[in-house]
Amino acid sequence: LQRIVDAEDAAFGALVGQPVKAASLSRLQGRFEIAARKTEQLRESEKMAEVAAQRRKVELSVARKHHRASMKAVVKLDGLLEQLSKRTARRRLALAELSEEEERGPPRPPTER
């Protein structure tokens, strides 16, 4: 915007104190109207980009919430798996002990003192 303003000031400043033909004034005016349209297009694009950025922020927020919920679920499942593994290990140990006892034969009656 500043470059456009500076160019416009320089162009019109060069005309001060000189006779100006209508055609050259018209060309100059057309050039700056084109610049004004481009500037308006850029502003519109900037607004659209801001809206898109806001939309992405909302989507990112939703995705982060979903991710946190998923991570909580994973941690919970990890805990449950660990508990199950411990139970399974205890069961295996109990089965191993039972197998050893069965291999040794029938249990002996306790001796009296």
Side-chain angles (χ1 to χ4, degrees):
L1 287 174
Q2 189 59 47
R3 283 190 307 218
I4 292 171
V5 169
D6 291 343
E8 187 176 334
D9 288 346
F12 283 111
L15 298 177
V16 173
Q18 296 182 24
V20 179
K21 294 181 182 176
S24 72
L25 189 58
S26 179
R27 275 195 310 272
L28 194 57
Q29 182 180 0
R31 193 171 90 198
F32 291 112
E33 285 175 358
I34 290 170
R37 281 193 299 274
K38 284 183 182 178
T39 301
E40 190 57 36
Q41 288 172 347
L42 288 173
R43 284 183 178 153
E44 199 59 37
S45 294
E46 183 180 29
K47 286 178 187 176
M48 289 171 47
E50 287 174 5
V51 168
Q54 285 294 355
R55 198 175 324 125
R56 295 297 179 254
K57 283 182 183 179
V58 169
E59 290 171 356
L60 180 59
S61 177
V62 168
R64 283 182 174 156
K65 286 179 185 178
H66 179 71
H67 178 67
R68 275 193 295 275
S70 295
M71 290 306 296
K72 279 184 176 182
V74 167
V75 168
K76 190 173 184 178
L77 287 173
D78 283 345
L80 292 172
L81 179 62
E82 187 176 332
Q83 288 177 0
L84 183 62
S85 295
K86 286 178 183 178
R87 272 194 237 151
T88 303
R90 285 187 290 230
R91 286 182 184 147
R92 284 185 187 153
L93 181 60
L95 285 173
E97 289 175 359
L98 183 62
S99 293
E100 284 179 19
E101 288 177 8
E102 287 177 353
E103 286 176 7
R104 284 189 215 145
R108 298 180 191 157
T111 57
E112 293 184 26
R113 294 183 189 176

